[in-house]
Amino acid sequence: MKVYIETYGCALNKADEAIMREVLSSRGHILVDSPELADALVLNTCIVRKSTEEHVLKRLREFRELGGNGKKLIVAGCMAKAMPYTVVKIAPEASLVSPQNAHLIYIPVEAKERKVLLEGARPRNKLPTLFQGRIAPIPIQEGCLGNCSFCITKHARRVLVSHSIEAVVAAVKKAVEQGAVEVELTGMDLGTYGIDLYKRRALPQLLKNVVEKVKGNYMIRIGMINPEHLAEILDDFIDAIVSSGRIYKFVHIPLQSGSDQVLKVMGRRYDVETIKALVRELKNKIPGVSIATDIIIGHPGETDEDFEQTLRVLRELEFERVHVAAYSIRQLTTSPRLPPVSSRVVKQRMLAVMKTVEEVGLKVREKYIGAEVECFVTEFNKRWVCRLDNYIPVVIACEEPEIGFGDWVRVKVEEATFFDLRGKLLGVVSRDRV
């Protein structure tokens, strides 16, 4: 059959799509790039925010109209698992496939009747080995040990399942052999990796094994790590990055709020001082490291003083990248029980925090202006995009045909924005520097 897959959401969802593509291709099905050309439509969903949910539901209605022409309709991903009733109300004929059953996507594709595959945990060591493009997302774990009051995703990906070091190494090797130059080790919280499998946090050991055993021209990006788990492995984690040369000096630590009071209400298991200590240690021990964080604005109960504390922390710690989101009411969560912050106040705070993020981002990038830097070529979309060894993006103001994916190039930085650097290509340094 001809199958069209449309994916929304995080790198885990993209990895699930890679699993679906691999399974369907192995069974002789054809993956097409247009829903109009397909016999079966797969909507791989995300529900992390209300706006995303609304967009996915709109897309579901559009898919259903197309499905009226005899096309099968399959809803996969987090919405299928956490909000099946919502899906059924809109599209009662749709098959449902939870994230944990991505490897069984062929069942509803091939079945004559509607199928519901929502039970069971993700099989261990079932990793994607067929990738599109030069950036390969590889899930090393799924599930979370937290219980945040605002999060609906935990209802879709609850059980902690870590994939073995051997399985991850094999998946990375396969991706590099297929031409991937960047490997994204992803999961809901990489700090929990190994707790279920090895009875300890094993992320540093995994990183060292991948670097040691997978040869080739590639770089590794490490996904999000919650602070309470990073604190437990910090020394070994730092050593794994510093000693490798193949791992971006990039760490994603979600702050969510600069107020201890709000963090407590959110159900977060750390305080602001923990974040500050982690950032100080990372910056002291990893020269040039860039640190990303997440912020939620307008969580129920957030006062003006709580918000001001968040701004102060952002200015003090100078995160290189900040993902900002306005609080979004989610089903199955406890945060909506608290007094809401008015939409007017949330909008004002969003404007203020974005101004701060842009000011800080520009400040930390302006220091590169005029410098000659080496960066790793990973993307092309009308212009080449490369990454410094700390993952900061550099857009090259040319379309030079002599450079390619996986090249280390020298660039003269001429301009900085709060998000990236812009510069002029000076030449190729190496095809594989590490």
Side-chain angles (χ1 to χ4, degrees), residues 383-397:
R383 294 181 184 275
W384 288 103
V385 178
C386 54
R387 300 277 179 173
L388 300 183
D389 65 359
N390 63 5
Y391 202 63
I392 290 177
V394 182
V395 180
I396 303 175

Side-chain angles (χ1 to χ4, degrees), residues 39-246:
D39 303 311
L41 306 172
V42 179
L43 187 60
N44 193 21
T45 58
C46 173
I47 52 172
V48 66
R49 297 191 181 97
K50 182 67 174 177
S51 58
T52 307
E53 175 193 326
E54 290 172 347
H55 181 77
V56 168
L57 291 177
K58 177 186 176 187
R59 199 67 177 128
L60 176 58
R61 293 184 179 95
E62 293 171 349
F63 270 33
R64 194 181 185 214
E65 290 182 7
L66 286 171
N69 297 321
K71 301 176 188 291
K72 290 186 177 183
L73 179 56
I74 303 162
V75 177
C78 292
M79 182 178 285
K81 176 66 173 180
M83 302 170 58
Y85 181 67
T86 299
V87 175
V88 170
K89 282 198 303 182
I90 294 174
E93 75 281 11
S95 293
L96 303 178
V97 180
S98 71
Q100 296 75 22
N101 288 297
H103 63 295
L104 300 178
I105 190 67
Y106 69 91
I107 293 178
V109 167
E110 297 175 2
K112 294 181 179 180
E113 67 284 346
R114 175 177 179 265
K115 293 292 183 179
V116 177
L117 306 175
L118 299 181
E119 301 303 319
R122 181 180 297 277
R124 204 180 300 279
N125 300 337
K126 182 63 179 178
L127 295 171
T129 58
L130 182 65
F131 300 95
Q132 292 183 307
R134 300 304 184 117
I135 300 177
I138 296 179
I140 67 171
Q141 62 86 227
E142 179 185 74
C144 178
L145 298 181
N147 192 31
C148 297
S149 62
F150 56 82
C151 180
I152 187 175
T153 307
K154 64 189 177 186
H155 296 287
R157 300 179 184 269
R158 173 79 275 179
V159 179
L160 177 61
V161 176
S162 300
H163 302 296
S164 71
I165 290 174
E166 294 76 15
V168 175
V169 167
V172 173
K173 183 177 180 181
K174 187 72 172 179
V176 173
E177 288 173 349
Q178 292 179 5
V181 297
E182 181 177 304
V183 172
E184 297 181 355
L185 299 182
T186 187
M188 284 181 67
D189 180 0
L190 269 57
T192 66
Y193 173 77
I195 291 177
D196 58 315
L197 186 59
Y198 302 113
K199 311 308 176 187
R200 59 185 171 83
R201 297 173 180 83
L203 179 61
Q205 181 185 349
L206 171 68
L207 294 173
K208 289 187 175 183
N209 271 261
V210 170
V211 170
E212 177 185 343
K213 296 180 179 180
V214 181
K215 308 304 178 183
N217 186 30
Y218 68 99
M219 292 290 288
I220 296 170
R221 182 172 78 82
I222 303 169
M224 189 270 287
I225 307 175
N226 270 315
E228 66 270 29
H229 297 294
L230 180 58
E232 297 293 328
I233 57 173
L234 188 59
D235 289 341
D236 291 338
F237 177 76
I238 290 173
D239 181 64
I241 293 177
V242 171
S243 64
S244 75
R246 281 213 185 277

Side-chain angles (χ1 to χ4, degrees), residues 4 83 104 144 156 272 333 346:
Y4 173 76
M83 302 170 58
L104 300 178
C144 178
V272 174
T333 64
V346 172

